[in-house]
């Protein structure tokens, strides 16, 4: 039953050789990798104004220089990540760059905070998109959590189906959103140019404002730069691109940077010119749209595509998380299962893990994930800072042609990112302190896992002086519960193995049955030695384990192996299993995990 | 961690030979087997009055003749069950008697309805007792379900500890309840004899009442006879008695009948003489107690012990259910696990099953189990009727000395029980119809289970012409994942078995690694044949299963057995298991359930 359902949802399995067909061209890559970055246009400018309004509406003109600062940061990031793409064409982004240049611990800080961050991305963006929808349809409001979870499941299925398929479906809403904002900005600027909008709505740039401080401006800048989260996604996902992957990735990154810059400056400028005041009920974009078009079709088109892209921003997490997990798993910091490709060639374990974790967050926070946003921004800027610093170290160390220019770009980026990170810690400590706990915890776990894998590797490696002792003979123990065909079957098998000794073990609960059984046995199998063990406490495991210990002790002296042959009969239908004592499973589990004996299960399939 | 907790709650395991010490003397047996029957005194008389009040308070004098009718029924039941005890000294009550004399289907009807009934007993009595407590402390009222569940868990632990221990603890409340009612009845009669109570409170017996009908009187009689539920418990539990078990059981039964008769007639008489009118808020016993003592210590003593005995009535279910289950399981109508004695020699599986089912009922009905009472009464009177009829058939068939007298007793009992049963169906059909569905369903399930066990028995039995074909040789398949000590270990084991052929199987996901691996292998293990399978869909199970099928097909032609040797390495700590692909478990489960091959697990215990 599960199987056809899986086929229906996920599609037929793909051969490993079909991997190439799953690669992305630039148009699709832009759609699925930039939804996170582009969607931040919907809330980034608003974040700046929310900080400035704490002084007065007169301070709004500062949003222009702050936006210019954000654009400079964006430019530095884009240039810097272009350099990273070419330097590390196999992807991995901040984790790989930090690890290779700054050492393992820096890499783990970057990798750990990004892993958590992608989970936050999914939870936060899906919740935000759901809020946008339920604001339009208030009747749905009480089902917020359920709707968010359904979206997560939808995205999960889409991503399990494979990268290209999700790209084809997701491309439309992303480009529609870009189109909608372009129209909005275009018409808005036209209105300004033609003088339809009165210029009195805003204070001129340069107006002195009482109470403004550098601290406040930096806080507004940090808030605004939360619009840059998601910029690193492309550098993590290079392996998903069509060849030549690095070149295509770099072009896509530049194009995305351009789009982001246009949309960001357009929205900031319009909101400044229109004198938009941020409010709890209506978003800044919504106010601009209403100012420009009134409440007509275009207004709802903009609102609709915005809600959609907020949800789809989660998809960036789905693309980047599994690839980062693969890099961490290859380095043995997280379980190896994250490196396995599923039926549709996606890294399904990573996708499923991401889905479960983000659903978990949505449920815990009851869909109110807004207060996770600063946490999420910090989780992005820590790895930003580390990877830029890593690049600086790389240039200094390698000194390739033109390294000074590259160094300046990355150094500038590193400094700005560091400042933004610090601003988050200083101005929003109550919301981001938990990073200081969970990053060390994650690093500790990573290290424990790595240690385990290395210890295992050492023990499994075959070296010259480290050979297994050959087994020179075998003792076979067959626990028997009666004289039945199942037992006969197992004995026949044991006999066929040319073992040095076969011992049948019967465990009795009552003294009087013992003799009877021994007599019957001697008639039935006179050539196989029967040992009868009495179990005072009606347990099978205890006396059997003791007996196995004794046999093993003797056998090991002669380098003999001990095999316990367990007869197991398998009913035809699953429900029938509860009608039988599952002693054979119990014996097997107990002996295998605690003793060094071979366990052979001889099946006896029931036919009716 | 689980182990010490279990020891603390349940106690140290007991040896099978200590079973004798767990047997009950008459005093303890009366306490744990009669709590159900005695507790019905608390609501039986009330049930009669509730029916009569539908005419008028003048009709209350009819409670006296009705109570006499109930006493006659009680006498018939006690005499009849005494006869059953001596005729069936190994217990089993209604199920065994009906099965032996009326045929398997009648037995199953009796057994099935009693099984369900004991679950209802537990749910209903614990809920009733909890209600009594939360009526006294209304603050607890919203925690009804939780309190009832805690009581069920308490009784479960008590019964898992063993029969004698629960008897010792439960004896006090039962005898205190009996004592309290004796004092109540004694003082009440003294007050009447000394003329303290005015005789005007009641209408004299024989006063003509308008609107009275035979139907109504029969309904009142049926309701009153719900006070007789639990009478059969002793006949089910004969094996729990000290030797001579049947004699002791019969004496206990008679003594219980006497107690029940005294308490029942006392309460009915006092309530008639005091002119008590049944009300929703205050029970009849509570009204009599208040009338007799006022609200002083004795009143609360009576109320307290009543609440307690209502909860303890559930214990009758705990004693009788596991024993009935053993009888059904021995006849293969329910899973065999119900015949296994636990650490403390009680039939723990039955006890635990009963606990889970009744907690389930309490949760579903949110602790409001009153409307289950008629269902529960019908569930008792159906087996009553069947067992009495069975005894009638037995006497007619066997004709022992004095059989006519015995026949008359049982025939009388059977007829009264049948009438009561029919009255329930006629007067309370809306509450008891579900019996007509679940009894057939249970019988169907019983029959399915029996059929399965018999089919299994047939297949396991060794007959002359039905011998297993001896295995004349062995082919061993070793799936290998690399060149490691784990694999070396398994190969050494395979080599030691003198198999006719050993084949190592390597499953590759990528074409280029295949050749490399083959070269390495040939250097390492030149004498063991390596088969490389390419898995296009990255699954291990599919190509391996196909290969096993091919090998098995060839092997079976020569009567060779096929053994798959699976290397499994076992990490030192449990959590480390998630760091490894559990392929070996998967392969084992898959091959074992679907193919006829032996599966050997060669453990490799990691040391760090």
């Amino acid at each position: 039953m599960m199987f056809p359902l899986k086929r229906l949802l996920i599609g037929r399995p793909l051969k490993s050789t079909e991997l190439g067909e799953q690669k992305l061209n630039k148009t699709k890559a832009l759609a699925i990798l930039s939804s996170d970055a582009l969607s931040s246009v919907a809330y980034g400018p608003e974040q700046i104004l929310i900080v400035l309004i704490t002084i007065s509406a007169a301070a709004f003109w500062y949003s222009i220089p702050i936006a210019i600062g954000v654009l400079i940061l964006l430019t530095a990031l884009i240039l810097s990540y272009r350099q990273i793409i070419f330097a590390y064409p196999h992807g991995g982004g901040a984790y790989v760059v930090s690890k290779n240049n700054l050492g393992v611990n820096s890499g783990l800080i970057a990798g750990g905070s990004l892993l958590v961050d992608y989970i936050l991305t999914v939870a936060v963006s899906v919740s935000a998109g759901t809020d946008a929808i339920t604001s339009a349809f208030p009747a749905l409001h009480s089902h917020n959590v359920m709707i968010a979870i359904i979206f997560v499941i939808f995205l999960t299925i889409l991503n399990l189906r494979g990268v290209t398929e999700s790209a084809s479906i997701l491309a439309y809403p992303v480009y529609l959103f870009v189109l909608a904002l372009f129209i909005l900005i275009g018409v808005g600027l036209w209105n300004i140019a033609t003088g339809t909008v009165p210029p009195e709505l805003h204070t001129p740039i340069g107006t002195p404002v009482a109470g403004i401080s550098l601290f406040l401006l930096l806080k507004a800048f940090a808030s605004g730069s939360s619009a840059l989260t998601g910029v690193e996604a492309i550098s993590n996902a290079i392996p998903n691109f069509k060849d030549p992957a690095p070149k295509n990735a770099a072009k896509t990154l530049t194009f995305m940077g351009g789009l982001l810059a246009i949309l960001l400056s357009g929205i900031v400028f319009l909101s400044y010119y229109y004198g938009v005041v941020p409010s709890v009920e209506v978003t800044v974009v919504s106010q601009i749209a209403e100012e420009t078009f009134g409440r007509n079709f275009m207004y709802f088109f903009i609102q609709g595509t915005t809600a959609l892209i907020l949800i789809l921003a989660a998809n960036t997490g789905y693309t980047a998380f599994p690839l980062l997990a693969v890099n961490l798993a290859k380095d043995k910091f997280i379980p190896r299962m994250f490196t396995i490709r599923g039926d549709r060639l996606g890294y399904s374990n990573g996708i499923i893990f991401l889905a479960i974790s983000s659903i978990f967050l949505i449920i815990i926070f009851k869909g109110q994930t807004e207060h996770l946003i600063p946490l999420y921004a910090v989780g992005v800027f820590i790895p930003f800072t580390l990877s830029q610093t890593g690049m600086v170290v790389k240039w200094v160390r390698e000194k390739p042609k033109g390294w000074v220019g590259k160094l300046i770009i990355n150094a500038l980026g590193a400094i700005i990112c560091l400042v933004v990170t610090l601003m988050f810690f200083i101005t929003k400590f109550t919301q981001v302190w938990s990073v200081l706990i969970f990053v060390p915890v994650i690093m500790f776990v990573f290290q424990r896992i790595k240690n385990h894998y290395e210890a295992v590797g050492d023990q499994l490696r075959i070296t010259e002086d480290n050979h297994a002792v050959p087994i020179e003979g075998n003792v076979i123990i067959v626990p028997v519960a009666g004289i039945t065909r199942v037992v006969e079957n197992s004995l026949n098998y044991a006999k066929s193995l040319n073992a040095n000794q076969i011992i049948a073990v019967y465990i009795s609960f009552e003294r009087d049955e013992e003799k009877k059984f021994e007599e019957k046995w001697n008639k039935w199998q006179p050539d196989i030695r029967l040992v009868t063990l009495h179990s005072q406490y009606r347990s099978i495991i205890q006396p059997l384990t003791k007996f196995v210990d004794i046999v093993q002790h003797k056998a090991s002296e002669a380098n003999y192996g001990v095999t316990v042959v367990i007869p197991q009969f398998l009913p035809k239908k699953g429900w029938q299993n509860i009608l039988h004592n599952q002693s054979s499973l119990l014996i097997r589990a107990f002996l295998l995990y605690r003793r060094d004996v071979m366990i052979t299960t001889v099946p006896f399939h029931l036919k009716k």
Side-chain angles (χ1 to χ4, degrees), chain A:
Chain A
M1 219 223 82
M2 287 304 291
F3 233 64
L5 185 69
K6 187 179 162 194
R7 281 294 144 266
L8 180 71
L9 291 175
I10 315 293
R12 68 166 181 91
L14 296 177
K15 292 182 187 171
S16 303
T17 46
E18 292 175 278
L19 190 57
E21 298 162 25
Q22 283 284 309
K23 301 274 174 168
L24 295 170
N25 62 31
K26 282 173 295 208
T27 329
K28 287 185 176 173
L30 184 70
I32 70 165
L33 291 169
S34 68
S35 48
D36 182 17
L38 294 179
S39 71
S40 24
V41 171
Y43 54 81
E46 188 157 358
Q47 297 290 317
I48 301 175
L49 296 182
I50 286 172
V51 177
L52 293 177
I53 190 89
T54 57
I55 301 293
S56 78
F60 281 175
W61 69 265
Y62 278 107
S63 64
I64 301 293
I66 287 171
I68 293 172
V70 173
L71 287 180
I72 292 172
L73 174 56
L74 173 65
T75 314
L77 282 176
I78 297 289
L79 289 176
S80 172
Y81 269 108
R82 275 183 64 95
Q83 297 182 169
I84 290 176
I85 287 172
F86 288 111
Y88 296 94
H90 298 295
Y95 165 65
V96 174
V97 176
S98 314
K99 191 189 66 172
N100 286 1
N101 298 302
L102 303 175
V104 171
N105 282 330
S106 303
L108 290 185
I109 294 175
S113 36
L114 276 180
L115 269 194
V116 175
D117 226 62
Y118 291 131
I119 298 170
L120 290 174
T121 307
V122 175
V124 169
S125 2
V126 169
S127 303
T130 307
D131 272 349
I133 291 173
T134 55
S135 302
F137 306 98
L140 294 175
H141 200 79
S142 57
H143 305 292
N144 249 358
V145 171
M146 197 31 76
I147 294 172
I149 291 175
I150 289 169
F151 279 124
V152 173
I153 292 171
F154 173 75
L155 284 172
T156 307
I157 291 172
L158 216 57
N159 278 283
L160 286 176
R161 287 190 75 94
V163 177
T164 42
E165 260 188 75
S166 66
S168 315
I169 294 172
L170 299 184
Y172 298 101
V174 173
Y175 285 113
L176 282 179
F177 170 75
V178 172
L179 178 70
L181 284 202
F182 264 104
I183 296 176
L184 175 64
I185 294 168
V187 174
L189 291 178
W190 174 259
N191 287 350
I192 292 171
T194 55
T196 325
V197 187
E200 300 80 42
L201 290 172
H202 60 272
T203 47
I205 293 175
T207 315
V209 182
I212 203 84
S213 66
L214 183 66
F215 179 83
L216 196 95
L217 291 177
L218 284 174
K219 187 174 175 182
F221 173 65
S223 298
S225 47
S226 67
L228 303 184
T229 56
V231 164
E232 83 297 347
I234 290 177
S235 69
N236 284 326
I238 309 174
N240 279 350
F241 280 84
K242 278 211 171 125
D243 284 330
K247 236 182 183 166
N248 285 330
K251 276 186 191 162
T252 310
L253 179 67
T254 313
F255 193 68
M256 180 187 82
L259 274 183
L260 189 53
I262 294 171
L263 298 181
L264 202 60
S265 31
I267 297 294
V268 170
F269 179 72
L270 287 183
S271 68
Y272 159 68
Y273 202 89
Y274 284 22
V276 168
V277 177
S279 96
V280 181
E281 288 85 29
V282 198
T283 62
V284 166
V285 173
S286 162
Q287 289 186 53
I288 297 173
E290 200 170 352
E291 204 75 49
T292 312
F293 298 109
R295 285 210 166 230
N296 66 4
F297 167 76
M298 267 313 292
Y299 171 77
F300 290 104
F301 179 60
I302 288 167
Q303 287 301 93
T305 51
T306 307
L308 217 52
I309 201 164
L310 279 172
I311 291 173
L312 297 185
N315 201 64
T316 305
Y318 275 100
T319 320
F321 182 95
L323 287 168
L324 175 58
V326 169
N327 277 305
L328 282 164
K330 277 186 184 157
D331 289 342
K332 301 183 179 170
F333 288 114
I334 61 173
R336 203 182 297 156
M337 60 175 178
F338 286 106
T339 62
I340 297 169
R341 286 184 189 272
D343 278 354
R344 300 282 290 184
L345 297 166
Y347 293 106
S348 352
N349 289 328
I351 293 170
I352 290 165
F353 182 86
L354 176 65
I356 291 172
S357 317
S358 53
I359 287 177
F360 186 70
L361 277 183
I362 290 172
I363 291 174
I364 285 188
F365 287 93
K366 293 179 183 152
Q368 317 279 292
T369 49
E370 310 86 54
H371 29 290
L372 291 177
I373 290 178
L375 192 65
Y376 156 55
V378 162
V380 176
F381 276 94
I382 291 173
F384 275 9
T385 313
L386 286 170
S387 63
Q388 309 276 2
T389 314
M391 290 306 284
V392 169
V393 171
K394 184 184 169 81
W395 303 136
V396 171
R397 213 181 267 159
E398 296 177 5
K399 299 197 177 60
K401 224 180 81 180
W403 65 278
V404 179
K406 293 178 175 176
L407 180 125
I408 290 170
I409 289 173
N410 285 130
L412 201 69
I415 291 166
I416 304 177
C417 289
L418 182 65
V419 170
V420 174
T421 308
L422 291 177
M423 282 319 297
F424 271 110
F425 274 108
I426 293 166
T427 59
K428 306 189 172 188
F429 187 74
T430 49
Q431 285 164 294
V432 301
W433 60 269
S434 57
V435 171
L436 300 179
I437 292 176
F438 73 68
V439 166
V441 168
I442 291 171
M443 287 177 66
F444 174 76
V445 172
F446 283 172
Q447 211 57 60
R448 279 294 296 272
I449 293 175
K450 173 95 170 180
N451 290 346
H452 170 72
Y453 277 130
E454 286 189 338
V456 170
D458 287 346
Q459 291 171 82
L460 298 194
R461 202 167 296 121
I462 295 175
T463 55
E464 281 306 309
D465 49 309
N466 179 12
H467 274 293
V469 188
I471 300 172
E472 284 165 26
N474 280 288
V475 180
I476 295 179
I477 299 172
V478 189
V480 298
I483 293 178
T484 64
R485 289 202 55 198
V486 178
V487 173
E488 188 184 29
N489 222 31
S490 309
L491 289 176
N492 278 350
Y493 176 68
K495 285 176 194 166
S496 78
L497 289 178
N498 303 315
N500 302 62
Q501 200 180 6
I502 301 175
I503 310 171
V505 179
Y506 179 71
I507 292 158
S508 82
F509 295 159
E510 277 164 54
R511 286 278 178 210
D512 16 325
E513 40 163 354
E514 281 175 32
K515 262 199 188 156
K516 264 192 239 165
F517 189 78
E518 275 167 17
E519 277 165 24
K520 268 202 240 169
W521 184 271
N522 290 334
K523 261 184 223 160
W524 186 49
Q525 297 279 359
D527 46 338
I528 289 184
R529 191 182 145 200
L530 175 75
V531 172
T532 315
L533 303 173
H534 181 68
S535 173
Q536 284 187 317
Y537 295 101
R538 300 163 307 285
S539 151
I540 296 176
I541 301 290
Q542 268 188 348
L544 186 62
T545 312
K546 260 191 202 165
F547 181 72
V548 167
D549 284 347
I550 296 167
V551 173
Q552 206 189 11
H553 187 74
K554 275 192 202 160
S556 65
E557 284 170 8
N559 279 339
Y560 278 21
V562 177
T563 305
V564 180
V565 172
I566 306 176
Q568 170 153 29
F569 72 90
L570 300 152
K572 226 181 150 198
K573 288 170 193 157
W575 69 267
Q576 295 167 340
N577 277 309
I578 61 153
L579 301 182
H580 304 285
N581 302 329
Q582 299 296 323
S583 321
S584 66
L585 290 179
L586 210 69
I587 294 174
R588 182 178 176 278
F590 201 89
L591 289 177
L592 192 63
Y593 284 89
R594 282 173 189 77
R595 300 291 186 271
D596 204 13
V597 291
M598 273 60 79
I599 312 279
T600 300
T601 314
V602 181
F604 186 88
H605 292 272
L606 292 177
K607 281 179 194 87
K608 42 181 186 179

